Amino acid sequence: MPLKPYSAWIRWPAITAGHGVLVALSSKLEWILPWWWHFYASHNSYPVTFVDFGLSKKAQKWCREKGSLVRLKSIAPFMTAEKLIDQNLMQDWRKWYGAFKPQMRKCWFQKPLAMLQSPYQKTLWLDIDCQIRGPLEPLFQALENFEIACMPEDAASQKIHRRFKLTQKDQLLYNSGVVAYIHGSKTIEAWAKAVPKNNHLFFGDQDLFSEIVYQNQTPVHNLPPTYNALLPNGFKPQDLIRHYMGSEGKQQIGEMTRKLHDLAFCHDFHTFFQIQKSGV
């Protein structure tokens, strides 16, 4: 079957609910699902849509039982081949971001297309490695006069990006792990449309997102760190969302699930999403 043109993927579905949550993942991270759901459902009852980046059939069934499931084809055919990316730029990425694999970028750049799958008037995108520690209503309220709400990276990251000209002097770098947005957002559309044209110029999805926001002068509600507390910066008791990013974060999630093995929800974890030493 011939591949549809990329432009055919840029469309919003019909709205089916007012507020809802969107998460996406592949089979590599599906073991996190029961952990994520336990903390989410302990504090919230908004409908959840899971975006399938290549889940196992068992994980697909689990997602349908908890919410709705949308399958999304890989954008790999639209990504610039690594050998065609400026090698000096690649060296800069490795210098400032560390080692990475091409398939990581292919997964990251799926995010804007995944966000377009939302059937909600107001959507909260959450990375699957985010621990929800309370009601999420404040994030939907943040969209009262904005089309997007998300958190700028910390001052140190902003300084590094400006120093090495990864961002402009008056540009903010945003973290895309927690993003609230309205249905039909022009910024989300522009972000998705820019992926095949400009992915070779940006290390990851949030770098491109930050550039789109800057170029379009999109008014963004800047969320405080408590709504997206990043593991490398340390956590505080008042954090609403803790983001266990990176390999260290996945290790900590694995440790938490083992400690919670007596909870009923972890039955799923042990019998279905078995932790593999190489996959945590």
Side-chain angles (χ1 to χ4, degrees):
M1 182 180 296
L3 186 69
K4 288 185 177 180
Y6 187 86
S7 59
W9 296 15
I10 310 298
R11 62 177 185 268
W12 297 87
I15 296 173
T16 60
H19 297 175
V21 172
L22 198 71
V23 292
L25 69 162
S26 65
S27 59
K28 184 178 180 180
L29 293 178
E30 64 186 32
W31 62 270
I32 296 179
L33 277 167
W35 172 87
W36 181 88
W37 181 262
H38 169 71
F39 290 103
Y40 169 75
S42 294
H43 305 284
N44 298 274
S45 58
Y46 299 107
V48 177
T49 295
F50 299 91
V51 183
D52 181 359
F53 283 179
L55 295 171
S56 68
K57 290 184 178 179
K58 287 185 176 181
Q60 291 173 0
K61 180 176 181 293
W62 188 96
C63 290
R64 292 190 184 98
E65 291 172 351
K66 303 298 183 184
S68 58
L69 180 67
V70 176
R71 302 191 69 179
L72 190 64
K73 293 184 178 180
S74 172
I75 65 163
F78 301 105
M79 291 288 291
T80 303
E82 185 176 359
K83 63 182 180 180
L84 299 179
I85 298 176
D86 182 275
Q87 293 305 299
N88 292 326
L89 184 58
M90 290 280 285
Q91 289 178 6
D92 287 342
W93 290 347
R94 290 192 172 93
K95 182 177 181 180
W96 302 117
Y97 298 108
F100 65 93
K101 299 177 181 179
Q103 56 264 38
M104 293 169 61
R105 297 182 68 251
K106 292 173 183 177
C107 183
W108 295 338
F109 280 101
Q110 292 268 126
K111 183 176 289 189
L113 275 177
M115 287 188 176
L116 284 174
Q117 310 308 306
S118 173
Y120 310 116
Q121 181 62 48
K122 291 183 179 180
T123 302
L124 177 60
W125 167 278
L126 294 167
D127 281 1
I128 197 64
D129 51 5
C130 287
Q131 180 191 28
I132 313 306
R133 306 179 71 248
L136 295 171
E137 180 60 24
L139 289 123
F140 293 109
Q141 292 176 349
L143 295 172
E144 193 66 32
N145 298 304
F146 296 86
E147 68 170 275
I148 289 180
C150 56
M151 184 193 72
E153 291 281 2
D154 61 29
S157 295
Q158 304 288 357
K159 184 177 180 180
I160 289 175
H161 277 73
R162 290 166 185 162
R163 178 182 176 186
F164 296 101
K165 299 181 180 179
L166 298 172
T167 54
Q168 302 297 320
K169 290 183 179 180
D170 58 342
Q171 179 182 355
L172 283 178
L173 176 69
Y174 288 96
N175 184 283
S176 62
V178 176
V179 181
Y181 61 99
I182 62 171
H183 193 276
S185 165
K186 296 301 181 184
T187 300
I188 300 297
E189 284 187 25
W191 184 21
K193 290 177 180 177
V195 169
K197 298 182 291 185
N198 297 325
N199 72 82
H200 64 291
L201 300 175
F202 298 91
F203 174 69
D205 63 277
Q206 68 182 30
D207 304 272
L208 177 55
F209 171 76
S210 302
E211 178 68 15
I212 294 295
V213 168
Y214 178 72
Q215 293 296 336
N216 293 352
Q217 292 296 292
T218 302
V220 175
H221 183 127
N222 292 339
L223 298 175
T226 187
Y227 290 169
N228 186 7
L230 305 181
L231 176 62
N233 298 336
F235 294 142
K236 297 179 180 179
Q238 65 267 31
D239 293 336
L240 175 63
I241 300 174
R242 291 179 175 176
H243 192 169
Y244 288 85
M245 55 195 296
S247 58
E248 181 182 351
K250 306 309 176 293
Q251 290 175 353
Q252 292 195 23
I253 291 174
E255 291 169 3
M256 277 188 278
T257 56
R258 293 186 184 98
K259 291 178 181 178
L260 293 171
H261 71 279
D262 289 331
L263 291 179
F265 93 98
C266 277
H267 175 73
D268 289 341
F269 181 83
H270 288 292
T271 61
F272 173 24
F273 301 116
Q274 296 291 333
I275 290 184
Q276 299 180 358
K277 292 181 180 180
S278 62
V280 175

